[in-house]
Amino acid sequence: MKHQQLTLMALLSIVLGFVACSRSRVAEPYRSVYHHTPAANWMNDPNGMFYDETTQLWHLYYQHNPFGATWGPMHWGHATSADLLHWQEHPIVLYPDSIGTIFSGSCIIDRENTAGFGENAIVAVYTQSEVCGQHQSIAYSTDGGYTFTKYEGNPVLKGDVPDFRDPKISRDGDHWLMTLACGQEIRFYASENLKDWTYLSSFGEGYGAHGGVWECPELLCFDNTKMSKPEASEQETAEPKWVLLVSINPGGPFGGSATQYFVGDWDGKTFTCIDAPDAQKWLDYGRDNYSTFTFHNAPDNRFVAMGWMSNWQYAQVLPTEPFRSQNTVARDFSLFVDDEGQYRLASVPSVETQALRGQVTEKLSDAAVVELELDGKQDALITLANDKGEKVVMTLDVHRQTFSMDRTASGDCSFSHDFASHTVAPLFIKRDCYHVTLFIDHCSIEAFDKEGAWSMTNLVFPSQPYNHISVEGGKVTIYDIKK
Ligand code: FRU
């Protein structure tokens, strides 16, 4: 019976998927122009992202409910892009089955056929969720990621705690490493063939923020090429450092969901954190960057990342039907040392986003990239506003060494009392002049320190696009978007 229901559900979701792909986009004022959005219905975490060097396409899968614009039975939706800015939607690739619905996970290219599904098969490792628990399953694609076949031996790793999910697979020496969220800690497992997994160790007790469940982890190795500071000579001798990304919900610094990270060492078995146990390091100082993962196989060994641009506190009531949610612009990660001697993760907009910039213009329109040059000796005030008086106010406070964004008067905040907010980022590095880049799209503002010392991602729902920008304490350059 359960089987029949799930087969019916799968058929219905195939039909709905085709309808969604062919639907024309009319009168959707909050449809982003250069951020990925699903054609219709619900999306949360980006999943299984990888870059295919033969086709030069970026593949993005995502948590998707094809039955409506709120969270429901999860599938993997699929989109590809040649430039990380324009996305083409494809049919759903993974449907719920008798083991459960399809939660978050990752993909790798199995170049040496370690799993036996064929050389260069794309293998997806993902969570299946059912009433009684969560388990890890695998599926493979031999057509470059457009269709997947589920492994008949699923699940490959059965859960022993209620929250047991979001496997991120990476290569560690001669084997595969799975980084998995389990309650409020992260577990590491190793495998030769992606099918048999051996427990290695756990990390998390007593470290970082624990205001909610831990989700969507990823372990990244930063060698010399990915350290932007210390200065060049020291860089050459610096030992690699490892960063463990962990999304947490709730328990973020401004309420709801956010992504924290830990810096440490990895000896092939255990992650040893070098941050103080009570330190809290945040990937982004806005409210709307969650479940961040990097693309497997990105060119030049880069860490190209994308996050879900929303927050579980209000994600399901955002005024954007018939679709809900968007992903952040792609960001590249590196590691630097701040003025206090702390290792921190830097996020800068990926180089691909340069292609967005059109003409320099005087007037702000519905989407733009804005460069700010702010004098480091005096406070700066940046205001985006529309003719209705709705506004977003940003402040560079040189005394407190912070950048902040106030969206309390940004437009529609009525759908959730948790939405109106004021977010604050530490600057981390004192400078004579601060270069800040703003990515403005129909319902989002992403602010970046030019060198990535901090970033801030916030959604906004103005009733008309912001068409004025004023800057006190600095200079502004506005670029039109090349659509
Ligand atoms: C994070 C998350 C994941 C889970 C998925 C379910 O946003 O809760 O932990 O796999 O969403 O949709």
Side-chain angles (χ1 to χ4, degrees), residues 42 44-45 47 63-64 71-72 74 102-105 127 134 165-166 181 213-216 247 249 257 290-291 308 312:
W42 172 261
N44 55 290
D45 317 355
N47 293 153
Q63 285 289 281
H64 183 47
W71 191 84
M74 285 293 113
I102 314 293
F103 273 19
S104 288
T127 301
Q134 299 184 337
R165 58 178 182 262
D166 309 338
V213 68
W214 285 20
E215 305 183 312
C216 302
S247 289
N249 177 53
S257 12
Y290 195 60
S291 316
W308 177 47
W312 280 114

